[in-house]
Amino acid sequence: GGSDSGKVGINGAKEKEINLLIAKEIRRLLEKEKIEVIMVREKDEELGKSKVEDLKYRVSLMNEKKPSLAVSIHQNSYHEENVFGAQVFYKTSTEGEKAAAVIQEALQEVNPENTKKIKANDTYYLLKKTEVPTVIVECGFLSNYAEAEKLVSEDYQKKLAEAVTKGILQYLKDQ
């Protein structure tokens, strides 16, 4: 948020704006199910004076609050425009893998043509430093024009939020 727009889509869409809209919808849906949600940011703002400070704040909040699951919403980008599809990355752990799998499965329902699979990753700062099950949900590719156009659509954002919520609820139920 703030001066860091994140990735900028081929259509000019800003990752930070899409992320926040999807995250707020996920919160609304989870709270409807009586699930407590802690948002790291609720408006277009930076959480530190630098990117590193921002990430450290996010990690410290997650480690302090110790949620059953931490979910970070993002948009992806790639140098080849034809690459598309949502993908869930997880902190290498049994719980992280379980959460990623059910969220990825729910996202496949939104776009059955998506062939992306879950992927363990301990090089992302957020995944490396959190002490709780953590997933990063890359909702789609802003570098793919067709997907970038869908990602700015309120209807598609709601479908993504519903899918992520469905996965989170399934994960919590299976715990």
Side-chain angles (χ1 to χ4, degrees), residues 17-30 37 39-41 71-73 75 139 157 161 165:
E17 294 169 357
I18 297 167
N19 295 351
L20 191 55
L21 289 166
I22 293 170
K24 284 181 172 182
E25 181 63 11
I26 292 168
R27 176 186 59 190
R28 187 187 73 74
L29 293 167
L30 287 171
V37 177
M39 296 281 285
V40 173
R41 74 178 177 100
V71 179
S72 188
I73 302 297
Q75 308 309 310
C139 297
Q157 290 170 2
T165 301

Side-chain angles (χ1 to χ4, degrees), residues 151-171:
L151 288 165
V152 296
S153 147
E154 185 179 344
D155 183 56
Y156 192 69
Q157 290 170 2
K158 284 185 187 289
K159 286 178 183 174
L160 291 169
E162 287 165 2
V164 173
T165 301
K166 179 180 179 181
I168 292 168
L169 292 172
Q170 184 64 50
Y171 170 76

Side-chain angles (χ1 to χ4, degrees), residues 24-173:
K24 284 181 172 182
E25 181 63 11
I26 292 168
R27 176 186 59 190
R28 187 187 73 74
L29 293 167
L30 287 171
E31 287 179 343
K32 202 168 138 183
E33 297 296 322
K34 308 290 186 239
I35 304 294
E36 180 186 358
V37 177
I38 300 165
M39 296 281 285
V40 173
R41 74 178 177 100
E42 298 194 44
K43 56 186 180 194
D44 185 12
E45 65 183 344
E46 293 168 271
L47 303 172
K49 292 179 182 139
S50 68
K51 211 168 194 170
V52 171
E53 206 175 285
D54 183 282
L55 285 169
K56 283 182 176 179
Y57 172 78
R58 291 167 191 266
V59 168
S60 70
L61 182 67
M62 290 176 206
N63 290 340
E64 175 192 321
K65 298 291 184 184
K66 301 202 183 318
S68 300
L69 178 64
V71 179
S72 188
I73 302 297
H74 295 273
Q75 308 309 310
N76 217 333
S77 182
Y78 196 65
H79 62 275
E80 293 177 22
E81 189 184 336
N82 64 331
V83 177
F84 71 95
Q87 184 171 24
V88 184
F89 294 87
Y90 63 95
K91 177 185 178 89
T92 306
S93 71
T94 305
E95 292 305 309
E97 186 174 6
K98 282 183 198 173
V102 292
I103 294 170
Q104 184 75 46
E105 187 179 319
L107 286 164
Q108 295 297 133
E109 294 171 19
V110 175
N111 183 358
E113 295 175 16
N114 178 14
T115 59
K116 298 273 185 260
K117 304 288 182 217
I118 63 171
K119 194 171 184 181
N121 188 319
D122 286 334
T123 61
Y124 290 156
Y125 186 85
L126 208 60
L127 297 176
K128 186 168 37 173
K129 299 290 188 180
T130 51
E131 298 163 1
V132 297
T134 305
V135 297
I136 292 177
V137 179
E138 296 279 2
C139 297
F141 282 79
L142 287 171
S143 52
N144 177 296
Y145 188 81
E147 193 159 62
E149 285 294 293
K150 289 198 299 191
L151 288 165
V152 296
S153 147
E154 185 179 344
D155 183 56
Y156 192 69
Q157 290 170 2
K158 284 185 187 289
K159 286 178 183 174
L160 291 169
E162 287 165 2
V164 173
T165 301
K166 179 180 179 181
I168 292 168
L169 292 172
Q170 184 64 50
Y171 170 76
L172 294 173
K173 184 179 152 218

